[in-house]
Amino acid sequence: MSDELFYLLFLFGFYATTVVTYFALGYGLTWVNGRNPERKIQKGRGSDRRRKAEIRQSLASMFSACLPLTIGLYAQQRGWAPAPWAFSWWTAVPLFVLCMFLYDTWFYFMHRLLHTKWLYPLHALHHKSVAPTIWSTYSEDVLDNLLLQGFSAAIVFVVPFPPAILIGQRLFEHFNGMFGHCGFEYFASSTTRYPSPLLSTTFHDQHHSGFRYNYGNYFSFWDRVLGTISPNYDQRVKTFEQEEPPLVLSQAIHLAEVQEKAD
């Protein structure tokens, strides 16, 4: 099998995996969200009326999210980029963390560029979802998505990450993006607010509702250093952390608890 055919099959296989997991996690989280309305971040504001349009757009944008990874792997295979480091379980974790940090750096500065008056027309579609839902994760212009995900095609010429690290990062980004757009807070804890650089769902939700803050993706590092962190992010997380009710998976149990409180 030629390299071209192999990577063409890889592209469509990875795209199919992305689509299947988009719907599987989407419907799964929608089911969980319906049983935990108290965890909704932007209470009283919904975006369900845009669901069909978001899904249609996502099917196109998911392809553009898979394309840069395929290009990067193909460039390594053809010898156009430096030969990737050998993969080992001893180096997997530090390399994955480094890849996450570099991707977050790429995402932060590219995201800031997309909010300039010259490039915002590409990004405006994504911000039609002021209160994001899991379906709006990929609801963005194809070129917008290509710029944000272009990291996988560019980084191989600078840092020779093993293919397993690049694939793992793209998969992690896929699921992280869906949880980050789900509109319900399940991760509020002291590890997602200052001084920790880790994030909860509230972080990106505030970006959709406020537009001028929280440009990072995995970490709050660049937002804190460059002054673009939402002024009330840490307090919002702390409030969720202190007041968030227990996670409910059974509707019957949830209704019983509501009735008990009413009595």
Side-chain angles (χ1 to χ4, degrees):
M1 181 185 297
S2 67
D3 289 342
E4 289 75 16
L5 179 57
F6 176 83
Y7 284 100
L8 186 63
L9 291 174
F10 173 86
L11 172 60
F12 284 100
F14 202 85
Y15 172 68
T17 300
T18 303
V19 171
V20 169
T21 52
Y22 168 80
F23 284 107
L25 183 59
Y27 284 115
L29 261 182
T30 299
W31 182 85
V32 174
N33 292 345
R35 284 153 178 76
N36 296 272
E38 300 89 349
R39 291 174 178 250
K40 185 172 176 60
I41 298 170
Q42 296 187 50
K43 293 178 174 61
R45 174 183 282 170
S47 299
D48 284 344
R49 67 185 183 280
R50 300 194 65 251
R51 177 179 298 186
K52 290 183 179 179
E54 289 175 341
I55 291 175
R56 285 195 301 270
Q57 183 61 39
S58 292
L59 290 173
S61 294
M62 278 187 276
F63 187 84
S64 70
C66 298
L67 186 59
L69 172 63
T70 307
I71 292 172
L73 296 178
Y74 181 71
Q76 286 183 328
Q77 177 64 25
R78 297 292 293 177
W80 300 337
W85 292 320
F87 178 84
S88 74
W89 295 112
W90 296 104
T91 59
V93 172
L95 284 180
F96 188 74
V97 172
L98 174 61
C99 191
M100 286 179 66
F101 177 75
L102 293 178
Y103 175 76
D104 190 71
T105 300
W106 171 284
F107 188 96
Y108 177 87
F109 289 101
M110 190 63 73
H111 199 179
R112 290 289 301 272
L113 283 174
L114 285 166
H115 274 260
T116 62
K117 64 180 181 180
W118 299 281
L119 293 181
Y120 188 74
L122 289 177
H123 196 54
L125 175 61
H126 190 58
H127 275 287
K128 285 187 176 181
S129 304
V130 178
T133 70
I134 198 164
W135 308 109
S136 59
T137 306
Y138 289 95
S139 181
E140 52 198 346
D141 186 272
V142 170
L143 184 55
D144 174 6
N145 201 330
L146 195 62
L147 289 172
L148 289 173
Q149 302 302 328
F151 169 83
S152 300
I155 195 63
V156 297
F157 295 97
V158 181
V159 182
F161 285 114
I165 297 296
L166 296 171
I167 293 171
Q169 188 275 323
R170 175 84 273 280
L171 286 171
F172 184 83
E173 164 62 9
H174 171 59
F175 292 109
N176 176 77
M178 295 190 75
F179 277 105
H181 286 85
C182 75
F184 286 69
E185 184 55 80
Y186 297 107
F187 302 101
S189 71
S190 59
T191 62
T192 60
R193 55 183 171 83
Y194 186 82
S196 170
L198 300 180
L199 306 177
S200 68
T201 301
T202 298
F203 185 86
H204 194 68
D205 199 280
Q206 285 187 324
H207 175 73
H208 275 260
S209 62
F211 300 97
R212 296 182 299 154
Y213 302 109
N214 301 4
Y215 294 96
N217 190 57
Y218 296 143
F219 309 113
S220 63
F221 175 78
W222 288 111
D223 283 289
R224 294 189 190 279
V225 169
L226 298 177
T228 53
I229 188 83
S230 175
N232 68 341
Y233 168 70
D234 293 310
Q235 185 56 49
R236 283 294 307 277
V237 174
K238 190 173 183 179
T239 299
F240 266 113
E241 183 184 347
Q242 294 171 342
E243 300 178 0
E244 200 171 70
L247 181 66
V248 174
L249 297 180
S250 170
Q251 189 68 30
I253 293 175
H254 179 64
L255 291 174
E257 290 176 347
V258 171
Q259 184 61 43
E260 183 179 342
K261 290 179 181 179
D263 295 341

